[in-house]
Amino acid sequence: AESERIEWKFRALVSRTIFRPFKMLFCEPILALITAYMSMVYGLLYALFEAFPVIFGVKRGLGVQYIGLLFFSVAIGTVSGGIFNLWASRKYPKLLNKWHGFPPPERRLYAAMLGGPMLIIGAFWLGWTGEYTSVGWYVPVLAGIPLGMGVTCIFISFMVSGVYIIRSRLSFHFD
């Protein structure tokens, strides 16, 4: 197999593990764009997790134990996003046969096409309803569902697509 012919000398190992990822990042623009977008989504996810204690603890006066329970809405969205991703990629095994093992990586992005708008809708929903205490506490909590679903759909789709981009276009060209 191709993977068994890999050199294990120190210089080849350093070249493969340290320099190759940077070379791929700078030579393949789609990987750079995917990396930048996923970094932004990841940062947004952490910012929203910091917003939950502010919205529900500071503004609405809920205790820490209740704030932790409110994250279940994000968990429900995450599970929903995983299920949707499985459903969206159900035809992919047939494409493997049709394309002789290398289908276009773009075929893995259908779930991300739903996840992008869901993430924006969820963030807008959480920010707008979380600002006003006159809105019931459950309305901003429900915004966690599209947030979790959007992040999961984006991460799974882009991770798998990135692997297939690397595998199909860059597999052993850097040796």
Side-chain angles (χ1 to χ4, degrees):
E2 189 76 30
S3 62
E4 293 175 347
R5 293 187 221 147
I6 295 175
E7 274 189 64
W8 287 102
K9 294 179 182 172
F10 182 74
R11 184 179 180 131
L13 187 65
V14 167
S15 171
R16 203 171 40 248
T17 58
I18 295 176
F19 297 123
R20 183 189 292 178
F22 288 107
K23 193 171 183 181
M24 288 188 320
L25 184 65
F26 295 122
C27 293
E28 192 67 31
I30 191 66
L31 290 177
L33 292 172
I34 285 175
T35 302
Y37 183 68
M38 286 184 64
S39 300
M40 184 188 69
V41 169
Y42 203 60
L44 182 64
L45 176 68
Y46 272 98
L48 291 170
F49 282 164
E50 278 296 316
F52 262 65
V54 172
I55 291 169
F56 298 108
V58 176
K59 286 194 170 279
R60 297 175 190 267
L62 293 177
V64 176
Q65 66 275 17
Y66 299 116
I67 295 171
L69 288 172
L70 300 177
F71 282 103
F72 273 116
S73 65
V74 178
I76 291 168
T78 302
V79 171
S80 302
I83 291 169
F84 180 77
N85 214 326
L86 284 173
W87 181 81
S89 62
R90 70 191 181 285
K91 295 180 183 177
Y92 203 76
K94 292 178 186 174
L95 292 173
L96 286 171
N97 293 332
K98 180 181 175 185
W99 290 85
H100 306 292
F102 294 98
E106 294 83 16
R107 296 291 182 120
R108 289 282 196 175
L109 295 177
Y110 291 124
M113 290 165 54
L114 174 77
M118 293 294 282
L119 179 67
I120 300 304
I121 289 168
F124 184 74
W125 181 355
L126 179 68
W128 196 355
T129 59
E131 176 65 24
Y132 305 106
T133 56
S134 60
V135 178
W137 63 270
Y138 52 87
V139 178
V141 169
L142 290 175
I145 296 173
L147 282 172
M149 187 173 184
V151 168
T152 301
C153 287
I154 291 169
F155 277 168
I156 292 174
S157 295
F158 280 10
M159 287 290 198
V160 174
S161 295
V163 167
Y164 279 100
I165 288 170
I166 292 168
R167 185 175 149 217
S168 65
R169 296 184 185 154
L170 304 172
S171 57
F172 288 96
H173 297 279
F174 290 107
D175 287 336

